[in-house]
Amino acid sequence: MVLTPLPDSRTEPDGSAVIRVLSYNVRSMHDDTEALARVIRACAPDLVLVQEAPRFFRWRKAAARLAKSSGLVVLSGGATAAGPLLLCSLRASVERTEDVLLPLTPGLHRRGFATAVVRIGGVRLGVLSCHLSLQRDERLAQAELLLERLASMGAEHAVAGGDLNDVPTGKAFTHLAGQLQDCRAVAPWGGELTFPPHEPRKRIDAVFATPGIEVLGCGVPTGLPGVSGADLRAATDHLPVLAALRVPAV
């Protein structure tokens, strides 16, 4: 199956921008990194919201290697955000970045957000990558912290995405979708389920956008030219989510 094409990235005459945003859990790059890079390149993203980026020995080199092999650059995050990482194309100019560590619950993994404010064309955009807790109550609290962080970034328009460890009927997912656009629900495109990659049964990965952004399409890029099923299965233990968005000019 060949998907209906998503719009290409571009800047409109009025300064608004069509952008592609990819959210992807890369499992610390423990799988086929060449397949991973092929998938990312084929999606032609302006922004990549990574989860489970390498966090330990030589993690910066690993992040730089992923960015280079994907035709992108490192924007922020990694170990300093407890795993979330942001990559971007040269189309984006960086206004500021901040890595945020969330409150630690004893006995559970440290979590964090990788955040940035970027400009693309005439657009100013807040960006956040997250990987929420496996524990229900902590996950809901982190969803609220995500909304608070977006509101505090000083950007009228923002995108957030990641591995939510929750399904659309779950409390954390529902809480986010109550204040942000769940891009897949607004404009379905491609596949829906994201985990596990061999026989996906759940949608636990998502891209969200603030209300002023127009969602042009969002989903798993199964069938996108250049993205093979073999690469999707080999690259990592999640399927990616690709969204095309039109962001108004400042």
Side-chain angles (χ1 to χ4, degrees):
M1 179 186 70
V2 177
L3 291 181
T4 302
L6 284 180
D8 291 332
S9 299
R10 62 181 183 269
T11 300
E12 305 284 20
D14 64 358
S16 64
V18 174
I19 65 171
R20 288 186 172 202
V21 179
L22 183 70
S23 180
Y24 211 171
N25 183 321
V26 303
R27 206 168 80 103
S28 297
M29 296 171 62
H30 288 321
D31 301 287
D32 186 335
T33 55
E34 292 184 0
L36 178 64
R38 285 193 295 269
V39 170
I40 295 174
R41 287 197 305 269
C43 290
D46 299 290
L47 298 164
V48 183
L49 317 182
V50 176
Q51 302 85 49
E52 289 195 42
R55 294 184 295 129
F56 300 110
F57 184 65
R58 294 182 176 174
W59 67 269
R60 288 184 175 85
K61 288 187 176 181
R65 187 168 65 250
L66 175 62
K68 182 178 180 180
S69 65
S70 305
L72 303 167
V73 296
V74 174
L75 179 54
S76 70
T80 48
L85 173 74
L86 297 175
L87 307 179
C88 67
S89 72
L90 295 179
R91 190 175 179 223
S93 60
V94 184
E95 183 175 305
R96 67 176 187 272
T97 66
E98 184 176 4
D99 299 331
V100 180
L101 292 177
L102 300 180
L104 176 63
T105 300
L108 298 180
H109 290 296
R110 169 73 81 179
R111 303 283 176 171
F113 301 145
T115 76
V117 176
V118 302
R119 291 182 180 268
I120 300 175
V123 163
R124 184 170 179 269
L125 185 68
V127 188
L128 184 151
S129 177
C130 70
H131 187 185
L132 302 187
S133 176
L134 290 165
Q135 202 277 333
R136 183 178 56 185
D137 292 339
E138 184 181 49
R139 183 167 62 240
L140 180 58
Q142 290 169 352
E144 177 59 27
L145 291 173
L146 186 158
L147 293 171
E148 292 175 3
R149 175 59 54 170
L150 287 185
S152 71
M153 291 175 70
E156 180 180 357
H157 305 295
V159 294
D163 177 355
L164 304 185
N165 278 316
D166 203 11
V167 295
T169 55
K171 289 185 176 180
F173 202 126
T174 301
H175 187 51
L176 293 173
Q179 297 192 43
L180 303 170
Q181 299 183 84
D182 172 8
C183 295
R184 167 70 194 183
V186 171
W189 170 90
E192 178 181 7
L193 307 178
T194 64
F195 182 83
H198 290 80
E199 295 182 1
R201 297 184 298 274
K202 298 178 180 180
R203 180 162 81 97
I204 61 173
D205 304 84
V207 174
F208 295 93
T210 49
I213 293 173
E214 182 183 0
V215 183
L216 305 175
C218 180
V220 176
T222 306
L224 184 73
V227 177
S228 72
D231 278 350
L232 288 171
R233 291 187 294 271
T236 179
D237 65 344
H238 285 244
L239 295 174
V241 179
L242 178 63
L245 310 171
R246 181 179 284 111
V247 186
V250 176

